[in-house]
Amino acid sequence: MQENREHRRMVLVVVLIYLVILAGTARAFVPSAFPKPTIKTMFNGVWALQLESYLQEHLGAHDVLFQLKSRTDLLVGEKMIHGVYVTDERLLEKLLAEDVPSAAEAAAPVNTFYTETGLPTCFVLVPSASEIYETTLPANAVNAEQSTRIQQIYSEMHSGIRCVDAYNVLSSMKEDYIYYRTDTHWTNYGAYCVYQSAIQKMGFTPVPYQRYVISHLSTEFRGDLYARTLYDGVKADVLDLYSIEDGAEITEVLAYNGDSVPQDRSTMLYNESALESDDMYRFYLGNPAERLIIRTNLDNGKKLLLYKDGFADCMVPFLLQHYSEICVVDLELVGEDYLTMADPSEYTQALFLCSMSSWDALWG
Amino acid sequence: MYLSSFTFTVVLLPVVLLCYYFLPERCKNGFLLLCSLLVYGWGNPARLLYPAAFLCFDYAVGLLLERWKQRKAPAAAVLAFSVVLQAFVLIQVRYAEQVKTNFLFPFGIAVYTLLGLGYLIGIYRSRHAAETDPQKLALYLLFFPVLYAGPLTDYAEFRKQLTSRQRSLAGLSEGLATFIRGLALKVVLADTFRYVFRELRQPAEMSMLTAWLTTLAFSMYLYFELFGYAEMARGLGKCFGFSLPENFSQPFFAPSVTAYLQRWNMTLSLWFQKNFRHFLFHERRSRGFRYLGLVLMWGLIGAWYGSKPQFLLWGITIGLLLLLERLVLSSFIRKRYVIGMLYTGIVLQFAWVLLFAENMADAAQIWRAMLGFGNGIADQYGVYFFTSYIALLLLGLYIATDLFRNITERLMRPGKLQAVWKPLIHGGLLLFSLASMLYGERVTGLFLKL
């Protein structure tokens, strides 16, 4: 009798769990993500793998289960969730040393550009937060080193190219809020500090910090590292907007993707709708575009060609105070075709600004 | 399709169990065969050509051997031909898997080759009669719960269960519980150890600590993967009313290599004993010949695990160790349990290296590091993983002992309290297993190509 009750309960518990999971999976069904079988993929094993991935990503109660596992791992002794170190203060991405190009290979794209165009060029490699806050990583944590690597790449640069030592600027400011706690990017303030050095190298006087009015867009920003780990034990971030009263104003924003007609974003540099989405950092430069042309009411004849990754997004507003036009080329979207994206003869200066990790990923 | 995939655990399993329980008795075997075909052919139905060919061959040869029962010489020739042919196909398939990209490995081939050969040898040695019903033989060869590493059953035993088996609530509940425990062993423990093992396997020279952690993580990974799969198979078997034998019995901390292997993949070594050693190197032969048989048998088991030459070497090493224990060490070890345990643990850690090393030079480098001649005693990497995973490694070692087994058995005895928390514990394990599957990297394959 006792035994029978036990067996009934066992079956009942399992059935209940299955009902919850399956109902959750059905409710969260994403028709666009569900793999469509074709004759070919049915027979070469591809569809089976796609289906498995779909179930893994869209299983009912996905987030709860993910947190259950990652929190247990942390309890047992693991200090990392999906390649992200968890510390009391912040989430720090583990930097890999594998598959990185040599210093000469990493320097080549900028050198080629400079020798081919002769445009005054400035180069900024931004270290990751994991490098700046290396001392706060868990004991013995393995992390690829970036500061020497940046120096090595800089030493390979053509002598005419001006390199900005972002590592020193940022590491001297590390007590300040220069990197997000839950996102790989730097904050506006981090970007401002490096902007000051970079813009001087490009022959301008930086706009003083005091002239900016800072407002909080959100105090509940959880960035890409949070999305990877779903770890909410770290304080949420603050997303700031730096505005300037009597500065240059934007007159036109054009976004180009492929050969199609540009999307006219009128004078909207910022993307308000991103604040309602999961990826609030998109606020700064809107949805990624291969090429973005931003014009201002400045009439100084200075035009900047900017090759960048996501780190530049929150620096562009600072740069706009000095140029009548900036052409922003997203290296992460165009990759090796970067040279064909704009006509350098139309511009007076060029800036390459990229994080060290995405620079390695781009040319590795 | 692997039993530890979402496609099986979340989608197929509930559908199969539901249908199975509501189908009339006479359709049940047919339905199980259909499920087996689905599991084996998943992703690429063309993969079913292999088992189909093996089935036809075994069925026909079985009938032939039955007819030639009195004519030993031609029967032996046919049997020898079958063994060589099937072994040749297995080797070819494994070779193709290594050299061709995009080759879809017909998984389970190592298992159904053994089952088929065991069936034929059984007829030759009059252990059972040839099967006249192809459906029954097909279900024996392709019974999907055992597709990865068994447990291997005897045909006579399996056939008995095919025709008469009990379906009960107790069987379903016990089966689900066993399946869940096996799944947890595979996806919670084995997959974590696999991650640790893979992270520690760096091209750079290892320190002593890293080398030992690597082999330890590998041995635990292999054990929990095979053990977990065997438990899942047993659990599924129980759900369908079959009673499959145990395949592993807490081998860690055994006092000798002999004792260790008596608890390691038991149905596999039993198969080789019955169909190879006792068949060709039986008691009437000279002692030296029988010893040769022992070493050869383990060499074959090694070769069955994988096609790299190191696997064969691993098997032969194990065979030689067994021989050494039988001839020299046994009396010494028997009286000194702790020394025996340490010796077994250490010697086997060295042996496991052969299974995961890329080649012999790689293996030699790891051995050097294990002996302290590598990159020092400890490096940053080793220390990091040691501190991160020591708790889990100790837990794994504990679960692999008799101590844990005794405690769980005592706790699982029927009783008032057990009726409450036994289902709860298994429910928790199921949820945690699903969480681990979802958290881990995608299931793209298992270490052994079986």
Short mmCIF file of all heavy atoms in Angstrom, two decimals, chain A residues 151-178:
data_model
loop_
_atom_site.label_atom_id
_atom_site.label_comp_id
_atom_site.label_asym_id
_atom_site.label_seq_id
_atom_site.Cartn_x
_atom_site.Cartn_y
_atom_site.Cartn_z
N GLN A 151 50.47 47.56 -26.69
CA GLN A 151 51.75 48.22 -26.94
C GLN A 151 52.47 47.58 -28.13
O GLN A 151 53.05 48.26 -28.97
CB GLN A 151 52.65 48.15 -25.70
CG GLN A 151 52.24 49.10 -24.58
CD GLN A 151 52.03 50.53 -25.07
OE1 GLN A 151 52.76 51.01 -25.93
NE2 GLN A 151 51.00 51.19 -24.55
N GLN A 152 52.41 46.22 -28.18
CA GLN A 152 53.07 45.52 -29.30
C GLN A 152 52.47 45.92 -30.63
O GLN A 152 53.18 46.18 -31.60
CB GLN A 152 52.93 44.00 -29.12
CG GLN A 152 53.88 43.41 -28.11
CD GLN A 152 53.49 42.00 -27.72
OE1 GLN A 152 52.45 41.49 -28.16
NE2 GLN A 152 54.32 41.36 -26.91
N ILE A 153 51.15 46.00 -30.66
CA ILE A 153 50.49 46.37 -31.92
C ILE A 153 50.84 47.82 -32.28
O ILE A 153 51.18 48.12 -33.43
CB ILE A 153 48.97 46.17 -31.83
CG1 ILE A 153 48.64 44.70 -31.60
CG2 ILE A 153 48.26 46.68 -33.08
CD1 ILE A 153 47.19 44.40 -31.36
N TYR A 154 50.82 48.70 -31.29
CA TYR A 154 51.17 50.10 -31.55
C TYR A 154 52.58 50.22 -32.10
O TYR A 154 52.86 51.06 -32.95
CB TYR A 154 51.05 50.92 -30.26
CG TYR A 154 49.62 51.32 -29.90
CD1 TYR A 154 49.33 52.05 -28.75
CD2 TYR A 154 48.54 50.98 -30.73
CE1 TYR A 154 48.05 52.42 -28.41
CE2 TYR A 154 47.25 51.34 -30.39
CZ TYR A 154 47.00 52.05 -29.24
OH TYR A 154 45.72 52.41 -28.91
N SER A 155 53.50 49.37 -31.59
CA SER A 155 54.88 49.48 -32.05
C SER A 155 55.03 49.03 -33.50
O SER A 155 56.05 49.30 -34.14
CB SER A 155 55.80 48.69 -31.14
OG SER A 155 55.51 47.32 -31.28
N GLU A 156 54.03 48.34 -34.02
CA GLU A 156 54.06 47.90 -35.42
C GLU A 156 53.45 48.95 -36.35
O GLU A 156 53.41 48.76 -37.57
CB GLU A 156 53.28 46.59 -35.59
CG GLU A 156 53.84 45.40 -34.85
CD GLU A 156 55.05 44.82 -35.56
OE1 GLU A 156 55.20 45.05 -36.78
OE2 GLU A 156 55.87 44.15 -34.89
N MET A 157 52.92 50.04 -35.76
CA MET A 157 52.20 50.99 -36.60
C MET A 157 53.17 51.87 -37.38
O MET A 157 54.28 52.17 -36.93
CB MET A 157 51.31 51.90 -35.73
CG MET A 157 50.27 51.19 -34.89
SD MET A 157 49.28 50.00 -35.76
CE MET A 157 48.37 51.04 -36.85
N HIS A 158 52.72 52.32 -38.53
CA HIS A 158 53.45 53.29 -39.35
C HIS A 158 53.70 54.55 -38.50
O HIS A 158 52.83 54.95 -37.73
CB HIS A 158 52.58 53.63 -40.57
CG HIS A 158 53.31 54.37 -41.62
ND1 HIS A 158 53.66 55.69 -41.49
CD2 HIS A 158 53.76 53.98 -42.84
CE1 HIS A 158 54.28 56.08 -42.57
NE2 HIS A 158 54.37 55.05 -43.41
N SER A 159 54.87 55.17 -38.66
CA SER A 159 55.22 56.27 -37.75
C SER A 159 54.28 57.47 -37.89
O SER A 159 54.16 58.28 -36.97
CB SER A 159 56.67 56.70 -38.00
OG SER A 159 56.79 57.06 -39.37
N GLY A 160 53.60 57.59 -39.04
CA GLY A 160 52.69 58.72 -39.21
C GLY A 160 51.37 58.57 -38.49
O GLY A 160 50.61 59.53 -38.35
N ILE A 161 51.06 57.36 -38.04
CA ILE A 161 49.76 57.13 -37.39
C ILE A 161 49.87 57.48 -35.91
O ILE A 161 50.83 57.10 -35.24
CB ILE A 161 49.35 55.65 -37.56
CG1 ILE A 161 49.21 55.32 -39.04
CG2 ILE A 161 48.06 55.35 -36.82
CD1 ILE A 161 49.02 53.86 -39.34
N ARG A 162 48.90 58.21 -35.41
CA ARG A 162 48.94 58.57 -33.99
C ARG A 162 48.15 57.56 -33.18
O ARG A 162 46.98 57.32 -33.47
CB ARG A 162 48.34 59.96 -33.82
CG ARG A 162 49.21 60.99 -34.46
CD ARG A 162 48.55 62.30 -34.55
NE ARG A 162 49.44 63.20 -35.28
CZ ARG A 162 49.29 64.51 -35.29
NH1 ARG A 162 48.30 65.06 -34.63
NH2 ARG A 162 50.12 65.26 -35.98
N CYS A 163 48.84 57.02 -32.18
CA CYS A 163 48.17 56.01 -31.36
C CYS A 163 47.85 56.60 -29.99
O CYS A 163 48.64 57.34 -29.43
CB CYS A 163 49.08 54.80 -31.17
SG CYS A 163 49.52 54.04 -32.73
N VAL A 164 46.66 56.27 -29.50
CA VAL A 164 46.24 56.80 -28.21
C VAL A 164 46.36 55.69 -27.16
O VAL A 164 45.83 54.60 -27.36
CB VAL A 164 44.78 57.30 -28.28
CG1 VAL A 164 44.33 57.81 -26.93
CG2 VAL A 164 44.66 58.38 -29.34
N ASP A 165 47.03 55.98 -26.07
CA ASP A 165 47.23 54.98 -25.03
C ASP A 165 46.01 54.95 -24.10
O ASP A 165 46.03 55.49 -23.00
CB ASP A 165 48.50 55.32 -24.25
CG ASP A 165 48.87 54.20 -23.30
OD1 ASP A 165 48.09 53.23 -23.20
OD2 ASP A 165 49.93 54.29 -22.66
N ALA A 166 44.97 54.33 -24.58
CA ALA A 166 43.72 54.29 -23.80
C ALA A 166 43.91 53.51 -22.51
O ALA A 166 43.28 53.80 -21.49
CB ALA A 166 42.61 53.66 -24.63
N TYR A 167 44.83 52.53 -22.53
CA TYR A 167 45.02 51.71 -21.33
C TYR A 167 45.44 52.57 -20.15
O TYR A 167 44.89 52.46 -19.06
CB TYR A 167 46.05 50.61 -21.60
CG TYR A 167 46.36 49.81 -20.36
CD1 TYR A 167 45.48 48.83 -19.91
CD2 TYR A 167 47.50 50.08 -19.59
CE1 TYR A 167 45.73 48.14 -18.75
CE2 TYR A 167 47.76 49.39 -18.43
CZ TYR A 167 46.87 48.41 -18.02
OH TYR A 167 47.11 47.73 -16.87
N ASN A 168 46.44 53.43 -20.37
CA ASN A 168 46.92 54.26 -19.27
C ASN A 168 45.86 55.25 -18.80
O ASN A 168 45.70 55.45 -17.61
CB ASN A 168 48.19 55.00 -19.69
CG ASN A 168 49.41 54.22 -19.26
OD1 ASN A 168 49.34 53.47 -18.29
ND2 ASN A 168 50.50 54.37 -19.99
N VAL A 169 45.15 55.83 -19.77
CA VAL A 169 44.10 56.78 -19.40
C VAL A 169 43.07 56.09 -18.51
O VAL A 169 42.73 56.58 -17.43
CB VAL A 169 43.40 57.32 -20.68
CG1 VAL A 169 42.21 58.19 -20.30
CG2 VAL A 169 44.38 58.08 -21.55
N LEU A 170 42.63 54.91 -18.94
CA LEU A 170 41.55 54.24 -18.22
C LEU A 170 42.03 53.65 -16.90
O LEU A 170 41.32 53.71 -15.90
CB LEU A 170 40.93 53.15 -19.10
CG LEU A 170 40.17 53.69 -20.31
CD1 LEU A 170 39.84 52.58 -21.29
CD2 LEU A 170 38.88 54.38 -19.87
N SER A 171 43.24 53.07 -16.89
CA SER A 171 43.65 52.43 -15.64
C SER A 171 43.92 53.48 -14.56
O SER A 171 43.80 53.18 -13.38
CB SER A 171 44.84 51.50 -15.85
OG SER A 171 45.94 52.24 -16.30
N SER A 172 44.24 54.71 -14.97
CA SER A 172 44.42 55.73 -13.93
C SER A 172 43.08 56.23 -13.40
O SER A 172 43.00 56.86 -12.36
CB SER A 172 45.23 56.91 -14.47
OG SER A 172 44.47 57.55 -15.48
N MET A 173 42.01 55.92 -14.15
CA MET A 173 40.68 56.38 -13.72
C MET A 173 39.86 55.24 -13.13
O MET A 173 38.64 55.35 -13.02
CB MET A 173 39.90 56.93 -14.91
CG MET A 173 40.59 57.95 -15.79
SD MET A 173 40.75 59.49 -14.94
CE MET A 173 39.05 59.99 -14.84
N LYS A 174 40.49 54.12 -12.80
CA LYS A 174 39.67 52.93 -12.57
C LYS A 174 38.80 52.99 -11.32
O LYS A 174 37.90 52.18 -11.14
CB LYS A 174 40.51 51.67 -12.58
CG LYS A 174 41.46 51.45 -11.46
CD LYS A 174 42.17 50.15 -11.80
CE LYS A 174 43.02 49.64 -10.70
NZ LYS A 174 43.83 48.52 -11.17
N GLU A 175 39.07 53.99 -10.45
CA GLU A 175 38.19 54.14 -9.29
C GLU A 175 36.86 54.78 -9.72
O GLU A 175 35.88 54.72 -9.00
CB GLU A 175 38.84 55.03 -8.23
CG GLU A 175 40.15 54.45 -7.65
CD GLU A 175 39.97 53.04 -7.12
OE1 GLU A 175 38.92 52.78 -6.49
OE2 GLU A 175 40.86 52.20 -7.36
N ASP A 176 36.85 55.41 -10.90
CA ASP A 176 35.62 56.06 -11.37
C ASP A 176 34.74 55.07 -12.15
O ASP A 176 35.17 53.97 -12.46
CB ASP A 176 35.97 57.26 -12.26
CG ASP A 176 36.61 58.37 -11.46
OD1 ASP A 176 36.02 58.76 -10.44
OD2 ASP A 176 37.71 58.81 -11.83
N TYR A 177 33.56 55.54 -12.48
CA TYR A 177 32.59 54.67 -13.16
C TYR A 177 32.88 54.72 -14.66
O TYR A 177 32.18 55.38 -15.42
CB TYR A 177 31.19 55.18 -12.83
CG TYR A 177 30.05 54.30 -13.29
CD1 TYR A 177 30.13 52.91 -13.19
CD2 TYR A 177 28.88 54.85 -13.80
CE1 TYR A 177 29.09 52.11 -13.59
CE2 TYR A 177 27.83 54.05 -14.21
CZ TYR A 177 27.95 52.69 -14.11
OH TYR A 177 26.90 51.90 -14.51
N ILE A 178 33.91 54.00 -15.10
CA ILE A 178 34.31 54.08 -16.51
C ILE A 178 33.84 52.88 -17.32
O ILE A 178 33.81 52.94 -18.54
CB ILE A 178 35.83 54.28 -16.66
CG1 ILE A 178 36.58 53.24 -15.84
CG2 ILE A 178 36.24 55.68 -16.28
CD1 ILE A 178 38.07 53.21 -16.11
#
